Amino acid sequence: MKDFLLFSGSSNQPLALAVAKLLGITLGKVELTRFADGEIRPWIQEDVRGKTVFVLESLSYPMDEHIMELSLLGDALGRSAPFNMVAVVPYMGYARQDKQHRFGEPVSARVIAKYIEISRYHEVIMVDLHNDAIVGFFEIPVVHLSALSRLADELKKQDLSNAVVISPDVGGVKRARNLAYLLDLPMVVMEKKRYLDRQDKTESMQIIGNVKGKTAIIIDDVISTGSTTANGARSLKDAGAARVIVAATHTVFAGDAVKNLKFAPIDEIIVADTILLPEKKILPNMKIVSIAPLVADAISSMVG
Ligand code: R5P
């Protein structure tokens, strides 16, 4: 195994620690302070010359700060002559802005890709990107992991004899099909309407398929305001679903998400730990599965 070090930004240290533990290492020492004016000032306190270095940073809220931290950590490391530098980004903020939704708007996901590249990283590890095509925004190699297998393992602990996997929108069909394959279940699609002039507002529309009397498993990449999930759960119950389980990778949980999820007819929520969730946002019907084994395996195969 090549000499390597794993550093953590401030966004998700518990995940970084869990990955380090699985790899049998301790986290690389770095001091993360700020100047009096608020500027971030990372200081690497390890000799990284000739080593492969990994930096784990989720681009979650406050995403602009975490992007800056990842960039500055990259520049600091790059100036210390490592052999190889890998950004480990369990959640890519701005990924949902993967196209120009309206003329006059940016393609923000591409800008984030460029930020990572100019911050001296040679490779990047990502998890459940909103859109697979985002990989193409990078000129450097991207290892694209999926938490679906971890979510599926948790789902398999339940009675799924009369269950269907639900894609909450047409864009999520591929993800739902993959989960349906892992669970050996049929798939149903919902059609979601999104209002471009009203940010984050959605309304679940039509259900294409039969859910009557069944356990409906909604799978999504992101729960942001919880509007898609809550509206989806209500529509499924109205259509006769016996139970609704929600599975999702990234817990953005913005705005009224916790309230929306709490008051929706959802029996269970299974999510991953790509984003660090504060205690107050963890609901009693929520189970968090760790992606640490996936990241540790990816790191091992890169340094093995
Ligand atoms: C949309 O295309 C995504 O896959 C999610 O469905 C969406 O971002 C969830 O957002 P919210 O929780 O705000 O409805």
Side-chain angles (χ1 to χ4, degrees):
M1 198 177 269
K2 288 186 207 115
D3 216 354
F4 74 100
L5 282 161
L6 171 63
F7 292 91
S8 177
S10 59
S11 58
N12 199 342
Q13 293 213 349
L15 176 60
L17 281 166
V19 173
K21 192 171 173 197
L22 287 170
L23 292 167
I25 58 169
T26 53
L27 289 178
K29 287 196 188 69
V30 56
E31 194 179 272
L32 290 167
T33 55
R34 283 175 188 270
F35 287 101
D37 61 0
E39 288 176 1
I40 300 166
R41 188 189 197 189
W43 185 21
I44 306 295
Q45 299 183 336
E46 301 275 0
D47 176 12
V48 302
R49 178 174 288 276
K51 296 177 186 166
T52 295
V53 292
F54 296 84
V55 180
L56 189 146
E57 185 84 278
S58 246
L59 304 184
S60 53
Y61 183 83
M63 54 285 281
D64 299 348
E65 288 184 20
H66 292 143
I67 287 160
M68 203 59 201
E69 201 176 76
L70 179 67
S71 287
L72 297 185
L73 279 166
D75 193 69
L77 287 162
R79 290 173 188 281
S80 310
F83 167 70
N84 196 22
M85 282 176 53
V86 184
V88 183
V89 183
Y91 170 67
M92 182 183 176
Y94 288 97
R96 286 177 292 165
Q97 295 182 53
D98 57 349
K99 55 176 84 68
Q100 199 180 31
H101 294 285
R102 288 183 296 196
F103 181 74
E105 290 189 348
V107 182
S108 309
R110 188 176 175 279
V111 175
I112 300 303
K114 296 299 143 199
Y115 249 88
I116 294 173
E117 283 172 11
I118 61 161
S119 305
R120 298 169 178 260
Y121 293 100
H122 303 120
E123 282 183 71
V124 59
I125 297 175
M126 298 271 176
V127 184
D128 284 335
L129 284 165
H130 178 62
N131 176 354
D132 290 348
I134 292 172
V135 168
F137 291 168
F138 289 85
E139 299 295 328
I140 56 176
V142 177
V143 176
H144 189 190
L145 306 176
S146 175
L148 273 192
S149 59
R150 304 286 298 160
L151 299 172
D153 287 346
E154 191 56 38
L155 285 160
K156 279 180 195 160
K157 293 177 185 166
Q158 315 211 6
D159 175 13
L160 300 178
S161 51
N162 193 20
V164 280
V165 174
I166 312 285
S167 175
D169 53 35
V170 178
V173 167
K174 190 175 163 201
R175 186 177 307 114
R177 194 194 60 205
N178 289 345
L179 182 67
Y181 177 78
L182 287 173
L183 298 174
D184 196 18
L185 291 174
M187 184 187 77
V188 162
V189 180
M190 297 181 85
E191 192 201 2
K192 179 173 76 177
K193 193 168 177 185
R194 191 172 277 284
Y195 303 101
L196 280 177
D197 54 342
R198 283 189 264 157
Q199 276 180 26
D200 295 315
K201 288 278 177 270
T202 62
E203 193 179 287
S204 282
M205 304 289 283
Q206 208 185 335
I207 299 171
I208 307 161
N210 178 24
V211 296
K212 204 168 170 51
K214 297 180 193 282
T215 295
I217 305 168
I218 301 177
I219 176 72
D220 213 339
D221 57 331
V222 177
I223 299 176
S224 181
T225 63
S227 147
T228 303
T229 313
N231 288 336
R234 267 184 213 106
S235 302
L236 289 163
K237 280 276 164 119
D238 289 348
R243 295 184 75 224
V244 175
I245 302 176
V246 172
T249 304
H250 309 296
T251 54
V252 170
F253 285 19
D256 283 336
V258 173
K259 198 170 91 192
N260 289 339
L261 295 174
K262 200 167 164 183
F263 295 111
I266 300 170
D267 296 276
E268 196 172 344
I269 303 172
I270 302 171
V271 291
D273 58 353
T274 55
I275 295 175
L276 180 62
L277 215 46
E279 276 297 318
K280 62 174 189 221
K281 290 194 174 180
I282 301 176
L283 293 166
N285 62 343
M286 194 179 287
K287 169 91 192 166
I288 303 174
V289 296
S290 184
I291 60 148
L294 299 175
V295 177
D297 280 354
I299 290 179
S300 296
S301 65
M302 288 166 104
V303 294

